[in-house]
Amino acid sequence: MGWAWSSTFIGGRKKKKKKKRATRDKRSSGFLCLGNPVKALQPVTMGITKSRSCFGYPVSIFFIIINEFCERFSYYGMRAILVLYFQRFLRWEDNVATAIYHTFIALCYLTPILGALIADSWLGKFKTIISLSIVYTLGQAVTAISSINDLSDSDHDGNPDNHTLHVILSMMGLVLIAFGTGGIKPCVSAFGGDQFEEHQEKQRNRFFSIFYLAINAGSLISTIVTPILRVQECGIHSKQACYPLAFGVPAALMAVSLIVFVIGSSLYKKVKPQGNIMAEVANCIGFAIKNRFKHRSKEFPKREHWLDWAKEKYDERLITQIKMVVKVMFLYIPLPMFWALFDQQGSRWTLQATTMNGNFGAIEIQPDQMQTVNAILIVIMVPIVDAVVYPLIAKCGFNFTSLKKMTVGMFLASMAFVVAAIVQLQIDKTLPVFPTRNEIQVQILNVGNESLRANFPGQDISVGVNQSSDFLPLDVNNPYVNITYGQQKSTVLNNFVKGFRHSIIIWNSTHITLVNDSLTTKPEKGENGIRFVNSLDQTINITMDGKVYSNISSYEASDYQFFPSGSKTILVSGLCEGHSEKLGFGSAYTYVITKCNGSDLEYNVFTDIPANSVNMALQIPQYFLLTCGEVVFSVTGLEFSYSQAPSNMKSVLQAGWLFTVAVGNIIVLIVAGAGQFSAQWAEYILFAALLLVVCIIFAIMAYYYTYVNPAEIEAQFDDDDNKKKKFGSDPYENSGFSQTQM
């Protein structure tokens, strides 16, 4: 996610500076700890008075940049596979996985306030980063350990014997990660800014560009790499998707991040804690409310603004600065709805991708790798929008203000979910129809040497050699099927179970087997259900890709087991070996073993459920719209916020901005928990409609907003202070300046 910054924000200066662009998540790392940014760039150092330089840059910043790259790799790599880990390893339903995922994200964006308070009021940035990075690393390690299947698989059957243990360890790890990443989020970039001298403003600006390039590079690479690691197979006693490796590599990168940061310790300028401006703001607001409540009777005259009730204790400058912040905070109220949609890339959209086909010709994309589309588009879109789109709009004479840009961004995000709903409808069309609780479905599998006819109540079908029929409904009140094979007729009845599919497997007129298919839904997670039918004259064991089908008798069928996409190795009782057909996504097949002799394995394949046919490429338009919305909303949002806030309170707005991200994820929890939609497309439409309504409300709020210039207001106060010192009188009496002019 891209965002813009200006040196006005970095240094708190009144002089307007050239704006820079950077590419990646402004939520991923805050600019300043909650404190006075002016002081942050005029550090009171501990021990070091002159930093070593390289090409005009402090050597210390290279350690900070490497630290940030590794930390972002760790965070985004872990997050990319998290919802699939919940779904596939912990076996949680989609709604539960989505709820826990967004709870975790919300916590990650609530804890920056805690980290900033610790840094500004107690430990300082350096010690805060060190301490919480240790917590962060432990969290990543615990999460990796929780995903080790053999940790509790004492009977070596491939399933954990103590599911609760894995859940507890996972939750412990995620809580530690949330406190770690959130705690250091508002401090790392500010600590990098502390390393520069006053005359190195140009170098400091370039540092922040490189810093956010490191964020972008770490997140992009990890989102590609960790899904690849996840699909590898590992395990001591049973081979499974390698979540320990996929979580372990981010844990190792976080450890590297910590080590690199510590190595540079002797080179850093370390700012002592300077107190917390956020606490002062909160105290002033609290006093104003309390004082107004005490003087609520009519005998006390009204004041121009409710914050003016703090004048008895706080000076005019602070009250005016808080008024500017409150104005912007009021505009933040609708913003969480944008984040509610945006962060579903890692949950609902990833789950949507599991029902799609990831075959892109020469490469095969995993569902969790589709998130890289956002990162790639960000790299492309930010410079295009900045260098091409905005200048063209300006040439057309359209006043495309910051708030108008944010409104457009919200609209584009809403349209992205409309497209997601359309894609979901296309997916739903390809899904098989399963019987309800009071229905029965039957298919005919002809594995014999002659064609046959099957008579259902009300219909008659013909099935050729090595062919199968569709799943056809059967009358629950009169459940029978007449089979005519050659000159022989047989009737199958009585053993049908309501609510299930059944397969009638026919070898000849004397060998007919009825099998309950057990599948009531399309295989989840993009996996493929495979079962085997034994037409040999002996009982066999079959091993497919490490999973065992035990004791399949002659003319009998096994249960389904599930496999990811790709070709799999088949081993039959040590007698013969071969390979399966290449599996796609979300299918189910019946393999009938017809011959087994050494390396000569022959089988017939019947399709029970077709593979996913809707390609993941159809998700690209929704990612494109959401990324465009992100560029004009997110990048512009912080730029606007900080341009409208006084220099010493920009960090307060940073905390407020991160808080809107947390609230957005909480909204997803509420909707996902309370909605319980029978159709996923309906949930997408609901989110799109909610954001569209919020977009209209925000547009109205923006229309009535009056832009201010905090630098001019602060300069007026400086002039008035100088007059007061010079003439010894109250400068506000004759200055003509009114706080309500804002």
Side-chain angles (χ1 to χ4, degrees), residues 429-447:
K429 290 178 182 178
T430 67
L431 299 179
V433 178
F434 287 90
T436 64
R437 290 183 179 181
N438 293 314
E439 293 179 337
I440 297 172
Q441 289 181 355
V442 175
Q443 74 165 344
I444 308 296
L445 299 181
N446 184 3
V447 296

Side-chain angles (χ1 to χ4, degrees), residues 497-711:
V497 181
K498 292 181 181 180
F500 286 91
R501 287 180 159 192
H502 300 77
S503 295
I504 300 177
I505 306 172
I506 302 163
W507 284 272
N508 51 51
S509 59
T510 59
H511 287 95
I512 299 176
T513 303
L514 174 64
V515 180
N516 185 325
D517 281 10
S518 73
L519 289 178
T520 57
T521 62
K522 190 177 178 69
E524 298 178 346
K525 315 155 193 173
E527 292 187 321
N528 303 275
I530 304 295
R531 66 177 175 181
F532 287 92
V533 174
N534 178 15
S535 64
L536 304 179
D537 293 329
Q538 64 184 86
T539 299
I540 59 175
N541 296 320
I542 298 177
T543 301
M544 183 172 181
D545 209 38
K547 294 185 178 181
V548 179
Y549 298 80
S550 300
N551 301 320
I552 307 174
S553 302
S554 296
Y555 304 109
E556 295 294 335
S558 70
D559 289 331
Y560 285 101
Q561 296 200 55
F562 299 91
F563 302 86
S565 60
S567 181
K568 310 299 176 185
T569 300
I570 302 174
L571 178 63
V572 181
S573 296
L575 302 175
C576 57
E577 184 177 353
H579 292 84
S580 70
E581 305 292 324
K582 186 175 181 180
L583 304 178
F585 297 82
S587 63
Y589 298 100
T590 296
Y591 279 59
V592 180
I593 305 297
T594 58
K595 183 178 180 181
C596 180
N597 183 14
S599 60
D600 190 6
L601 172 65
E602 295 182 7
Y603 55 80
N604 294 325
V605 182
F606 297 89
T607 300
D608 301 329
I609 297 177
N612 299 341
S613 57
V614 179
N615 198 278
M616 290 182 194
L618 282 185
Q619 281 194 320
I620 293 177
Q622 66 198 56
Y623 273 101
F624 176 77
L625 285 172
L626 191 65
T627 303
C628 291
E630 174 191 354
V631 171
V632 294
F633 175 88
S634 179
V635 174
T636 308
L638 273 181
E639 183 179 359
F640 161 77
S641 301
Y642 295 126
S643 70
Q644 296 297 290
S647 59
N648 66 328
M649 293 188 186
K650 299 184 187 294
S651 55
V652 177
L653 283 177
Q654 173 71 354
W657 183 269
L658 293 173
F659 185 74
T660 65
V661 181
V663 175
N665 282 271
I666 293 172
I667 291 173
V668 179
L669 295 179
I670 296 171
V671 174
Q676 300 297 323
F677 293 91
S678 58
Q680 183 58 51
W681 66 266
E683 183 178 298
Y684 290 144
I685 291 295
L686 174 63
F687 275 110
L690 288 174
L691 183 57
L692 190 59
V693 170
V694 168
C695 178
I696 295 171
I697 294 172
F698 182 79
I700 296 171
M701 295 169 64
Y703 178 79
Y704 289 102
Y705 181 84
T706 303
Y707 290 82
V708 298
N709 189 332

Side-chain angles (χ1 to χ4, degrees), residues 208-221:
F208 280 108
S209 294
I210 299 171
F211 182 85
Y212 283 94
L213 177 62
I215 292 174
N216 196 40
S219 60
L220 176 59
I221 295 172

